[in-house]
Structures are given as C-alpha cells and as structure tokens.
C-alpha cells in the first residue's frame, strides 16, 4: 500500500510535467516538505521564498493559491523593490487533507497555463475524494488525462 508521501511525490512530478513549472515542492498536511524539484536548501532560505506560507493558505482555504514571491499587498505592488529577474509566479494546489503541491517559475517565462492549473486542481479534488493513497503514478496520469 502506498502512503501519502509517495502519492504527493507522484502528483508533484505530474504537476511539473503538465505545468512546465521550473520548481516544485510536495508538502504534507503539516507543511513538511516530502519532495522537491529544482529547489535546494539555499532556495528555501531565500528571503523571497514564500512557498510555505502560500501552502498554509491553500490548505486552510482548500483553494488554489496564485501569487508571486514579492507582493503581499496589492496596494504596494508598484512600490516593491525587486528586479524582474527575481520575480516568480507561484501556484499552490491543495490535495485535500493530504497536503499541497507548490509550483513556481520565473515571471520571464510567463504564467503557468490556466488549463494546467484547472486540470491539476480538478485532479487534486478527485484524489482527495477517493481517500485512497494507493494510486500509482500511471493512475494519477490517467485521471489527469480524463479531466483534460
């Protein structure tokens, strides 16, 4: 039987593949990082890294969070002192009570496609409703394709 860590890791891999995100994290319901893609310890300690807080917000609201790594207050967005090179587009998708998937990429590459976010969010809802962590990587991908 597969555990939630493996399920979240497999979901994260699919999310990276389908979204084209540069970096990703799989976090459990306690916000512990269970898997990462292209984010090292230095990246996690960067003062612009807001992944854990965005994941907390997604888990608390049970809704996808779309944000960036700088603007916390829309009113202050124009006065934020950050170079475009450092600006990142962030999406966090809650996976029921199991955890969340964090995706980000440089704003220079544009936003993560809306269709991918919607399909990944739908997939997360399906997986959460099944209450079964024994879903294989192939089954996760098949569920995703059925949503598209």
């Amino acid at each position: 039987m597969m555990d939630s860590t493996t399920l979240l890791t497999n979901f994260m891999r699919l999310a990276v593949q389908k979204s084209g995100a540069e970096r990703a994290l799989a976090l459990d319901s306690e916000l512990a990082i269970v898997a990462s893609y292209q984010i090292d310890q230095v990246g996690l300690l960067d003062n612009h890294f807001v992944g854990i807080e965005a994941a907390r917000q997604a888990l608390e609201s049970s809704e996808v969070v779309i944000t960036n790594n700088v603007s916390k207050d829309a009113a202050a967005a124009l006065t934020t002192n950050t170079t475009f090179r450092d600006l990142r587009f962030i999406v966090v998708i809650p996976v029921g009570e199991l955890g969340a998937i964090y995706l980000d990429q440089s704003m220079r590459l544009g936003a993560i496609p809306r269709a991918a976010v919607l399909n990944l969010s739908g997939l997360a809802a399906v997986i959460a409703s099944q209450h079964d962590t024994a879903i294989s990587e192939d089954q996760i991908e098949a569920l995703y394709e059925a949503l598209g």
Side-chain angles (χ1 to χ4, degrees):
M1 180 165 169
M2 195 179 314
D3 63 7
S4 61
T5 297
T6 303
L7 174 71
L8 290 167
T9 300
N10 290 341
F11 192 115
M12 180 196 72
R13 288 184 190 133
L14 178 79
V16 167
Q17 177 190 8
K18 300 300 181 182
S19 70
E22 284 183 303
R23 307 187 313 175
L25 294 173
L27 300 109
D28 69 13
S29 61
E30 300 297 316
L31 298 173
I33 297 169
V34 298
S36 65
Y37 174 77
Q38 302 288 46
I39 300 179
D40 58 13
Q41 193 65 27
V42 173
L44 292 172
L45 297 174
D46 183 295
N47 65 346
H48 291 297
F49 185 76
V50 297
I52 303 301
E53 188 52 41
R56 181 185 329 280
Q57 183 182 350
L59 287 172
E60 287 174 358
S61 68
S62 297
E63 295 182 5
V64 173
V65 171
I66 299 174
T67 188
N68 65 61
N69 62 324
V70 178
S71 298
K72 307 293 183 281
D73 177 4
L78 296 176
T79 61
T80 303
N81 187 15
T82 296
T83 62
F84 190 67
R85 174 181 55 82
D86 296 329
L87 196 58
R88 302 194 72 78
F89 181 84
I90 297 167
V91 174
V92 182
I93 301 165
V95 186
E97 295 180 6
L98 298 174
I101 304 301
Y102 167 94
L103 305 168
D104 84 11
Q105 67 184 24
S106 171
M107 283 286 199
R108 291 175 291 154
L109 299 175
I112 292 172
R114 184 175 194 265
V117 173
L118 292 174
N119 286 345
L120 289 166
S121 177
L123 175 62
V126 169
I127 288 172
S129 71
Q130 291 183 354
H131 302 289
D132 180 9
T133 58
I135 302 171
S136 72
E137 200 165 356
D138 290 340
Q139 290 170 314
I140 292 172
E141 184 157 8
L143 285 170
Y144 178 89
E145 296 303 330
L147 292 170

